[in-house]
Amino acid sequence: MAIFLGLVFGFVVMLAAAPGSAIAGFRHIVLGGFNRIGNVFYFATPILMTGLAVGFAFKMGLFNIGASGQYTMGMFFSLYVGFMWDLPSGIHWIVAILAGMLGGMLWGFIPGFFKAFLNVNEVITSIMFNYIGMYLVDMLVQGNSIMYNSTMTRTNYLPLNAQIPSLGVAGSNVNLGIIFAIIIGFILYIILQKTTFGYELKATGFNKYASEYAGMKGKTNIMITMVIAGGLAGLGGAFAILAPSAIAGSSMTYEPINIIAAAGFNGIAVALLGNSHPLGIILSSIFISHIQRGGTLASLVGYKPEIIDVVIAIIIYFSAFAMIMNSALASFFKKRIEKRHPVLETIEDKSVEMKSDKMPDNNTKEAE
């Protein structure tokens, strides 16, 4: 319902911006992604991982707004292993992915430590480490002559050994990363829903003091949560930068321009739309990537690229108020039913009264 209403209001915005092109532009947004399905899955991969990073922390009562920094740090660790380490072709890209995860875990550990032992709000430290990570990585990349190509003002192409194997979709960068990301989403679902470890993490998120009273290690669980969330975002950076390009012999590159990675903030939108549920996040990341890829085609009929961000923002807005909308709709339909069938309400009230009459009077028994 939230997605449907978001699309309807998005169409109204497009209608207000350019009435003559609204139908064609909206058709591109909704259907355009189907013609670029390979790139839909490629661009869904990093936001799926950052969405899991944010959603996982949400489940523990933490707001991991530092996914951008963890994503950037994971990207740098993968680049470093890709360029600087000489490994056999079969394992080079695997080690580079694991290095990306390690970089993200390191950047998630620090806010987790401050939160657990010094009670520093994780939002503040995460935002600070977004900037620290961005400037640090840009400085390190520009200072490395093997990684950085000053004539292109970006990194060189990664060696073929360090690139994640492609899935072979023509004209697309899609690779094994999307399969790994989906598998990770399912594993996360099993951990959260089916294991004692996941239960303890969620219990800590609901009430840290109650969980500690019950024998759980609240501080340790907070740190573990942030480390895992950082590792997920770091994997997103690794999957994004280690991807082979559709152009033979090339790969994705990183441009150090002192801008915080958007994938981290898109992960917040993905997590909200997926209700912080791992399986919901898988679907919401693919959906957002789908309308983003279709949205780029809206420029063919005269729309600015920013219009698609407006549509996505409206959808997220409606998703955030989904519970309120559901409650309002339920109340609306209940009132309509009661108006049409007033007898049912009377019967329900009488049945409640009869039950209360039959209930034993505990006070009387206690007195006896």
Side-chain angles (χ1 to χ4, degrees), residues 81-96:
V81 170
F83 280 110
M84 307 303 291
W85 289 18
D86 187 17
L87 297 171
S89 60
I91 64 169
H92 197 172
W93 61 274
I94 298 174
V95 175

Side-chain angles (χ1 to χ4, degrees), residues 121-140:
N121 193 302
E122 75 278 8
V123 174
I124 297 172
T125 47
S126 295
I127 292 173
M128 288 173 61
F129 273 82
N130 279 343
Y131 284 96
I132 293 171
M134 176 194 67
Y135 287 120
L136 183 63
V137 167
D138 286 2
M139 181 185 72
L140 293 173

Side-chain angles (χ1 to χ4, degrees), residues 162-186:
Q163 297 176 23
I164 300 173
S166 170
L167 288 181
V169 179
S172 163
N173 302 342
V174 67
N175 54 75
L176 285 177
I178 183 63
I179 296 176
F180 294 148
I182 291 174
I183 291 173
I184 291 168
F186 276 97

